[in-house]
Amino acid sequence: MLMLRRALSNINDNFEQSLAGMFIALIGASLWLDRNYFFWPPELTSTMNDQRVDIFIFILGLGLLISALFDNPNKIIEIALFLVCGAAVSVLAITQLWHAFLGGQMRMAHTAIGDLIIFVLIMRAAYKS
C-alpha cells in the first residue's frame, strides 16, 4: 500500500512527464497496430511504417512513464529521455504536417497538434526537473 501511495505521489509530482510518457507509449502502440498510417511520400512509406520505429517510440514512452513513477532516480537518464522523446515527438509532428499540407490530408494536422502539445509537456517537465 505504501508503494502504491508513493507511486501516486510521484505521478502527481511529475504529472507532465507522466502524461507525456503515457501518451507517447499510446502513440507508439497505435502506430505499431496501424501498418499503413504514413503514406506520403510513397517512396518512404515502408521506412516510416517500420515496426521497429513504432516499438522504439512505445519503449520511449514507457521509459518516460517509469522514470516518473520512480521519481527520476538517475538525472542523466532523465535528461536523455527528455531529449529523445522530445525529438521523436517533434519528428512525428513534422511528418504529420508533411502529410497534411504536402500530401493533401488535412486530417493529419489534428494529430500533429496533439504531438506539439505532448512536446510542450515534455519541455515543461524538463524545465521543472
Side-chain angles (χ1 to χ4, degrees):
M1 188 64 149
L2 180 63
M3 192 168 161
L4 178 64
R5 185 173 293 148
R6 183 175 296 138
L8 290 174
S9 175
N10 289 343
I11 287 174
N12 189 41
D13 293 342
N14 304 308
F15 183 72
E16 292 90 356
Q17 181 180 350
S18 302
L19 202 58
M22 180 182 67
F23 282 120
I24 291 171
L26 288 173
I27 288 170
S30 171
L31 289 173
W32 189 13
L33 293 173
D34 189 354
R35 301 295 352 123
N36 298 310
Y37 182 73
F38 295 111
F39 54 88
W40 189 91
E43 55 272 4
L44 294 178
T45 56
S46 63
T47 303
M48 290 189 293
N49 288 313
D50 190 353
Q51 288 183 341
R52 291 172 291 196
V53 174
D54 305 338
I55 293 169
F56 179 70
I57 293 170
F58 175 76
I59 291 171
L60 277 178
L62 211 55
L64 196 62
L65 182 60
I66 290 169
S67 177
L69 278 172
F70 292 105
D71 200 25
N72 305 316
N74 187 331
K75 292 300 178 185
I76 293 173
I77 292 175
E78 176 190 22
I79 291 168
L81 279 170
F82 285 143
L83 287 172
V84 176
C85 285
V89 171
S90 298
V91 167
L92 275 174
I94 290 168
T95 304
Q96 290 162 340
L97 286 173
W98 280 350
H99 280 73
F101 294 111
L102 302 175
Q105 295 293 325
M106 286 307 291
R107 61 187 166 89
M108 298 289 269
H110 295 42
T111 53
I113 292 167
D115 289 342
L116 292 173
I117 291 170
I118 294 169
F119 181 77
V120 169
L121 287 172
I122 292 169
M123 291 299 105
R124 171 98 171 115
Y127 177 77
K128 282 177 54 177
S129 68

